[in-house]
Amino acid sequence: MDKKNQTKVTEFYFPNFPQFEDGGLLLFILLLCVYLFIVVGNSMIVLAVRLDVCLHNPMYSFISIFSFLEICYTTVTIPKMLYNLVSKEKTISFIGCLLQMYFFHSFGVTEGLVLTMMAVDRYVAICNPLRYAIIITPKLCTQLSTGSFTLGFLMLLPEIVWMSTLPFCGPNQIHQLFCDLEPVLLLACTDTSMILIEDVIHAISILSCVSIITLSYLRIITVVLKIPSGESRQKAFSTCTAHITIFVLFFGSVSLMYLRFSVTFQPLLEKIIALMFAVLAPFFNPVIYSLRNKDMKKAIRKMLCSQNVH
């Protein structure tokens, strides 16, 4: 295409959101309720871990970090989705789109790394309990958490910087619920085959986390099954059930979305998968950790009761 005839795209349009009067209001109310539940539920977990001395240990520290990340992760996309449900424009600026992709994936990668740390923490606690306090120290937890945030926010930076230099000359319609790498790259007016390198890097990072988590829990299950006491066995399993459930929810949907390379799904299925890891997984996080964990339920109840007294 002649460069003189190219019109630079300054904003992108989301055509798949219904108009406010055509069902947009109902979806807006539903999504708003889900978002408020995610923010309030995960905030309660973060506060409970901070305020209750009984929860001041590495496992709950990782859970609170993960809950904080869930709030940030959903705040990057859901408010804009809510706006698109009530607005006639349903657009996002070019810079806004790049920033949304950067923070969405950076928080997502960080979550994956924190889930991996949680699996390793449970592995050491159950498979090597006598040395747990020596291995998983507060200093190591801080270093691992800082490293996860640093790696999470550096991994996507080269890709986003590269995308910011690409020419976008139209069309400008993103057929997804938010800005994501592949739907946006399809709109670039140039060869984007270099993205395959980044796809391989993403695949390696996802598969590495999945492998470490899977091997950790397989080893945990093997050790737990050898415990003679039924009560001790049940207690050991219960501490891991919540982690495994969140792991399956998060990495299951992420793998469907980002480990398929050239495989394409129906547009509706694409959006359902996007909703799974962008909305549903964070929605179930506070439910799973508060309902399946006695210590967490006790801490939240104590926190709420103390607020009522004041």
Side-chain angles (χ1 to χ4, degrees):
M1 185 184 290
D2 186 0
K3 288 186 179 181
K4 291 180 180 178
N5 294 328
Q6 289 185 3
T7 304
K8 188 176 180 182
V9 170
T10 57
E11 62 180 18
F12 295 106
Y13 174 67
F14 297 97
N16 300 122
F17 283 90
Q19 292 298 328
F20 189 71
E21 59 274 8
D22 298 328
L25 175 59
L26 182 62
L27 291 172
F28 174 85
I29 294 169
L30 180 62
L31 186 59
L32 179 62
C33 291
V34 168
Y35 178 60
L36 290 175
F37 180 84
I38 290 169
V39 173
V40 173
N42 283 292
S43 295
M44 286 173 66
I45 291 174
V46 173
L47 287 171
V49 172
R50 275 188 73 87
L51 298 175
D52 197 314
V53 181
C54 299
L55 302 184
H56 288 182
N57 60 53
M59 184 181 83
Y60 288 108
S61 175
F62 289 138
I63 288 174
S64 70
I65 292 169
F66 187 76
S67 294
F68 168 74
L69 285 168
E70 292 281 52
I71 297 170
C72 299
Y73 178 71
T74 51
T75 300
V76 174
T77 55
I78 296 182
K80 185 60 183 175
M81 289 161 65
L82 288 168
Y83 175 79
N84 287 337
L85 285 168
V86 297
S87 168
K88 289 189 181 297
E89 288 83 14
K90 307 183 191 307
T91 58
I92 187 170
S93 68
F94 178 71
I95 296 297
C97 190
L98 290 175
L99 288 173
Q100 188 178 66
M101 287 188 291
Y102 174 66
F103 283 106
F104 178 73
H105 285 281
S106 294
F107 283 123
V109 171
T110 308
E111 281 191 357
L113 294 171
V114 171
L115 280 173
T116 307
M117 292 190 300
M118 288 162 71
V120 173
D121 171 73
R122 288 302 84 205
Y123 168 78
V124 177
I126 293 171
C127 300
N128 203 348
L130 297 178
R131 301 194 65 219
Y132 177 75
I134 300 170
I135 298 170
I136 309 295
T137 61
K139 183 181 178 181
L140 179 64
C141 291
T142 303
Q143 289 172 339
L144 289 172
S145 301
T146 305
S148 295
F149 274 91
T150 304
L151 183 59
F153 278 81
L154 286 178
M155 188 178 288
L156 264 293
L157 199 56
E159 187 170 352
I160 298 300
V161 170
W162 171 66
M163 287 180 69
S164 70
T165 65
L166 296 178
F168 290 87
C169 50
N172 68 336
Q173 294 188 352
I174 296 175
H175 294 280
Q176 187 51 281
L177 301 175
F178 48 85
C179 287
D180 206 358
L181 301 172
E182 187 180 344
V184 173
L185 279 170
L186 288 173
L187 304 177
C189 305
T190 186
D191 178 32
T192 57
S193 56
M194 279 288 291
I195 197 66
L196 281 172
I197 298 171
E198 284 292 330
D199 284 343
V200 171
I201 294 170
H202 294 166
I204 291 170
S205 64
I206 293 169
L207 290 172
S208 299
C209 290
V210 169
S211 300
I212 293 169
I213 294 170
T214 303
L215 290 171
S216 297
Y217 283 119
L218 285 175
R219 177 61 180 155
I220 287 169
I221 291 167
T222 305
V223 170
V224 169
L225 288 174
K226 294 178 181 177
I227 297 174
S229 169
E231 187 178 336
S232 299
R233 193 187 306 126
Q234 186 179 356
K235 185 178 180 182
F237 267 129
S238 67
T239 60
C240 297
T241 305
H243 300 324
I244 293 172
T245 307
I246 293 294
F247 160 64
V248 172
L249 269 173
F250 181 79
F251 278 107
S253 52
V254 165
S255 298
L256 277 173
M257 198 68 181
Y258 299 111
L259 291 183
R260 52 197 172 95
F261 294 99
S262 59
V263 177
T264 56
F265 295 137
Q266 292 292 326
L268 179 60
L269 185 57
E270 292 264 6
K271 292 170 184 61
I272 291 170
I273 295 169
L275 280 175
M276 279 175 63
F277 69 82
V279 179
L280 291 183
F283 174 80
F284 285 114
N285 180 52
V287 176
I288 291 166
Y289 281 126
S290 59
L291 292 182
R292 294 198 58 87
N293 191 300
K294 290 180 181 178
D295 293 332
M296 186 66 74
K297 278 195 287 187
K298 185 179 175 183
I300 291 172
R301 199 178 299 119
K302 188 164 72 174
M303 182 179 69
L304 292 175
C305 289
S306 65
Q307 290 293 322
N308 289 333
V309 170
H310 294 300

